[in-house]
Structure formats: C-alpha cells, structure tokens
Amino acid sequence: MLIEWSDELSVGIQEIDEQHKVLVGLVNEMHDAIHARHGSEVSSEILQRLAEYTKIHFAVEESLFRIFDYPGYEEHKAQHDELIREIIELQEKIAAGKTNISFQLLHFLKMWLTQHILDSDKEYSPYLLKSGLKAKSSQAGWFHKLWH
Amino acid sequence: MSISEQDLVNFHESLDRASSSGKFMDVFYDGFIASSIDVEMIFKDTDMDRLKRKLKSSLHMMTMLVDNEPGTEMYVGHLARVHDRYNIPAEMFNVWMDLLIEAVRVCDQEFDVRTENIWREVIGRGIAIMTQGADAKVIEAV
C-alpha cells in the first residue's frame, strides 16, 4: 500500500472524503499492480480509471465552489486543470509507446493527491461548511451510489 | 556546491532555530510583501495564516527535493506549470529566496556564511524548477 488513509486527510465533508478514498484506492491499486508486475496494460487501465474518476471528482468540487461562490475557485481550478492536462499528455505518450508508468509517477500521484488534499482541499472545506454544506448525509450520496 | 548529509542536517537545524524564534514567517512575509507593489497587490487580500501554511508546505517540498524523494521533482515541475498560468516573473522567485534567507539571518542565532550557502543550495534547487515554468519537467517515466 502506497497511501494509507488517515483522519489527517479528511476534509470534514463525508462525500468528498469518500471520493478521496476512491482516488487513494486507485493509486494503491496501481502501486500493487506494478509491484506484482501485472504489465503495462493493467497499469494503463488503472490510470485510465484514475483519470476518469479524477475528472468527475474535480467537476463535483468545482460545482460546489460555484454553488457556494468559493473565493478560491480560480486558483483551485487552475491546479485541477493542470493535473488533468498533464495526465492526458501522459496517457497519450503511453499510448504512443514513448513512456510507461513508473514508480516516480506513482510517487508523483501520491504526492499530488496528499499535498492537494492537505494544502488546497482543506482550505475550501471550512468555507463550504460555513456556507451551509452539510458535513454528513444520513444516506450515501448520488455520486457514491453511481460509482460503486 | 553539492549538498552533503551534514549540510542537510545543518539546514534542518537552522530551519528549526529560525522557526523556534516565533517570528520567522512574519519577518519573511513583512519583507516579501514590502518588496514591491506587484507582490503587495498579489497578497493584499490573502489570509496570513494561509500564507504561512503555504510557506511551511513549500519548505517541506524543497527539503524533499534535495532528499531526492521519489516523485518530488515531477511534483515541483507540476507546481511550476500551475504558477506559470499566473505569469509570475522569474525574478520574483529570486526575491522570494533572498528575503527568505534574510528572514533566516534575522531569526537563526547561529546563522553564518556556511548556513547561507546551504540555504541557497537547498532553496535554489526548487527555485530553478519553478522558474522553468511551463518548461519544467513533465510527469513521465524515464
């Protein structure tokens, strides 16, 4: 396991935490696949799922930012946009046989995910909660139901 | 100048002494924000606690970079490309480093030329990537 989920990574909003746990799970899955030498096809397929889920997760966060008029929207979105651009570029290179998935990349993804949560995501949660977003829903959210 | 393990120990000790002074971040931001109108405009509405968290995170990243922690160079390259979207001039990064070291000079009682050189080497590595902006190393395997 490359990333262990801990309370330190919680932003205090259940739905977002659940989505972050899925991202952590996908990075760990990729780590395990590389360790087990399952081959580049398996790693690429996991990267594809990671990219898809990341886009959806970012869209959810950005929707919340717009709904609650979050003042850090532009800065946060720039971080999202850059990561998506880089992952698409990486996938294109992998497809063209110009590169492959490495431990360096895995550690980059680990660092990006944990630092982004700790440095950026934890900044928006107090604002959203103060603005009326519920920290916890009694039912699993629509997004969680759809993905699982 | 290459960084030895002892240099890294000295760097961390200097950072500890500066941080323990209780005024390190304030000294740095007072100097940095006053360094130009442009910097003042960027940070005029920014929460100081947030800025201090960012500085702490930046210093952590710089030390991981010189420790050759896997993935860090790619990550700092990513940060460089994010910052590039804001058209931050390269000289602003150098001013940032100079004023950071000035704050260490004020807050670290044992600061000397050797300490300054280590700080310049450690922080300079990160600054070198940040100033590459859009040209910083992309995420890929080798």
Side-chain angles (χ1 to χ4, degrees):
Chain A
M1 187 182 290
L2 189 65
I3 312 172
E4 195 156 352
W5 180 266
S6 69
D7 287 346
E8 192 196 5
L9 292 172
S10 171
V11 298
I13 300 169
Q14 188 186 23
E15 186 76 28
I16 299 296
D17 282 346
E18 293 302 327
Q19 293 178 17
H20 284 157
K21 284 177 190 172
V22 173
L23 292 172
V24 165
L26 286 165
V27 174
N28 283 334
E29 194 180 334
M30 195 189 293
H31 175 259
D32 293 346
I34 291 176
H35 250 296
R37 299 181 189 280
H38 283 164
S40 58
E41 259 185 42
V42 174
S43 304
S44 295
E45 184 272 327
I46 300 168
L47 182 64
Q48 175 63 24
R49 280 192 284 136
L50 179 64
E52 281 173 12
Y53 193 87
T54 300
K55 283 181 206 168
I56 297 167
H57 168 64
F58 285 174
V60 170
E61 281 189 339
E62 289 164 18
S63 293
L64 290 172
F65 296 164
R66 286 192 297 270
I67 289 166
F68 291 100
D69 203 16
Y70 176 53
Y73 172 80
E74 293 294 339
E75 187 182 335
H76 203 115
K77 190 175 185 307
Q79 294 173 27
H80 287 174
D81 290 350
E82 185 56 36
L83 183 76
I84 293 295
R85 193 192 67 75
E86 289 175 13
I87 287 184
I88 290 170
E89 201 174 283
L90 176 72
Q91 286 181 302
E92 286 170 355
K93 282 184 182 172
I94 290 170
K98 292 179 182 172
T99 189
N100 51 34
I101 295 168
S102 67
F103 277 103
Q104 287 287 338
L105 171 66
L106 267 176
H107 282 274
F108 164 78
L109 291 172
K110 173 192 174 183
M111 195 171 287
W112 192 91
L113 186 54
T114 54
Q115 290 301 318
H116 185 71
I117 292 172
L118 293 172
D119 291 344
S120 301
D121 289 354
K122 283 205 171 201
E123 284 187 354
Y124 71 62
S125 53
Y127 176 87
L128 297 184
L129 291 168
K130 198 176 159 191
S131 302
L133 183 70
K134 286 183 179 172
K136 192 174 181 180
S137 168
S138 56
Q139 295 182 328
W142 61 269
F143 185 77
H144 194 67
K145 284 178 190 168
L146 277 177
W147 185 262
H148 290 279
Chain B
M1 176 185 165
S2 62
I3 301 176
S4 66
E5 280 188 26
Q6 187 55 50
D7 287 338
L8 277 178
V9 170
N10 293 343
F11 170 79
H12 284 289
E13 285 176 353
S14 172
L15 178 57
D16 279 346
R17 287 191 298 270
S19 302
S20 300
S21 73
K23 58 182 182 179
F24 175 51
M25 293 201 179
D26 289 320
V27 170
F28 166 69
Y29 276 115
D30 284 350
F32 187 50
I33 290 171
S35 66
S36 75
I37 297 291
D38 289 342
V39 177
E40 192 181 342
M41 289 304 288
I42 290 171
F43 294 118
K44 69 180 167 71
D45 295 322
T46 311
D47 171 22
M48 279 313 292
D49 287 338
R50 179 172 180 258
L51 282 183
K52 289 175 183 177
R53 284 197 302 273
K54 292 273 183 198
L55 178 58
K56 197 175 166 188
S57 173
S58 301
L59 289 172
H60 177 59
M61 207 53 63
M62 301 278 185
T63 55
M64 285 177 77
L65 194 61
V66 290
D67 283 340
N68 292 317
E69 291 283 341
T72 310
E73 192 175 347
M74 284 184 190
Y75 184 70
V76 178
H78 165 78
L79 294 179
R81 285 183 292 281
V82 172
H83 278 76
D84 190 59
R85 291 167 178 251
Y86 298 104
N87 298 315
I88 300 169
E91 58 266 27
M92 202 177 276
F93 288 103
N94 293 322
V95 170
W96 184 90
M97 178 166 72
D98 287 343
L99 291 170
L100 183 69
I101 292 168
E102 183 54 32
V104 181
R105 187 194 312 277
V106 171
C107 301
D108 174 9
Q109 298 292 313
E110 295 177 36
F111 189 89
D112 57 12
V113 174
R114 177 73 183 164
T115 314
E116 177 171 351
N117 288 339
I118 295 169
W119 270 85
R120 287 203 179 277
E121 185 64 25
V122 172
I123 304 301
R125 287 197 187 181
I127 295 293
I129 298 175
M130 293 302 292
T131 52
Q132 288 169 20
D135 297 324
K137 187 178 177 183
V138 294
I139 51 169
E140 62 179 36
V142 287

